[in-house]
């Protein structure tokens, strides 16, 4: 599948939150601060259909849109690309980077420790 742009991901987020939706439903649910016109949202929907990330089905004179790509699969792919691109495919340097930049608070550190403890056999 082709990569989904940041703008397309915003439309996907609307569809992941609840679908099927009409184009107008999506237009109404895209955050207003984006300032997108209805035509912009419709263009993004068409791109997502072309990328096979979204399916559309006729419903009278309108189409209903639903995601074909699961949010978990999208997040996994994007996470993997980030780790591969910036950290040589290794998670440890990412965590070290975040820790060194004071991006991890005590609560996050405790969550990571708990996750690691649960991973140990």
């Amino acid at each position: 599948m082709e990569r989904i742009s940041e703008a397309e991901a915003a439309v996907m987020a609307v569809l992941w939150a609840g679908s099927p939706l009409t184009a107008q439903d999506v237009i109404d649910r895209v955050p207003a601060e984006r300032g997108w016109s209805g035509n912009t949202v419709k263009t993004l929907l068409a791109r997502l259909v072309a990328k096979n990330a979204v399916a559309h089905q006729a419903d009278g004179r309108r189409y209903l849109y639903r995601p074909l790509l699961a949010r978990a699969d999208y997040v996994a792919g994007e996470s993997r690309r980030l780790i591969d691109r910036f950290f040589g495919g290794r998670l440890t340097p990412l965590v070290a980077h975040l820790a060194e930049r004071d991006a991890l608070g005590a609560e996050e550190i405790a969550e990571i420790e708990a996750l690691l403890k649960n991973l140990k056999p």
Side-chain angles (χ1 to χ4, degrees):
M1 177 182 299
E2 287 183 60
R3 188 128 190 251
I4 293 173
S5 71
E6 185 273 330
E8 293 163 346
V11 171
M12 290 296 293
V14 170
L15 292 171
W16 285 321
S19 62
L21 297 173
T22 65
Q24 188 60 52
D25 292 334
V26 177
I27 291 165
D28 292 343
R29 294 176 189 189
V30 167
E33 59 267 10
R34 292 212 174 254
W36 291 344
S37 70
N39 286 338
T40 298
V41 174
K42 289 177 183 178
T43 297
L44 292 169
L45 283 167
R47 287 181 187 171
L48 289 165
V49 168
K51 292 179 178 183
N52 292 316
V54 168
H56 66 293
Q57 177 182 1
D59 181 42
R61 296 179 56 212
R62 63 188 187 167
Y63 285 101
L64 294 175
Y65 295 88
R66 64 179 174 79
L68 292 174
L69 174 64
R71 183 182 184 282
D73 293 338
Y74 173 73
V75 170
E78 288 299 303
S79 299
R80 175 52 43 203
R81 275 190 273 284
L82 172 86
I83 293 167
D84 289 346
R85 182 174 175 196
F86 292 111
F87 301 100
R90 297 186 58 235
L91 185 58
T92 305
L94 168 63
V95 175
H97 170 78
L98 294 173
E100 290 167 1
R101 301 279 185 204
D102 294 326
L104 295 176
E107 187 174 322
E108 284 110 352
I109 292 169
E111 289 175 10
I112 291 169
E113 288 173 340
L115 285 170
L116 292 173
K117 185 177 180 181
N118 289 334
L119 290 173
K120 286 185 179 180

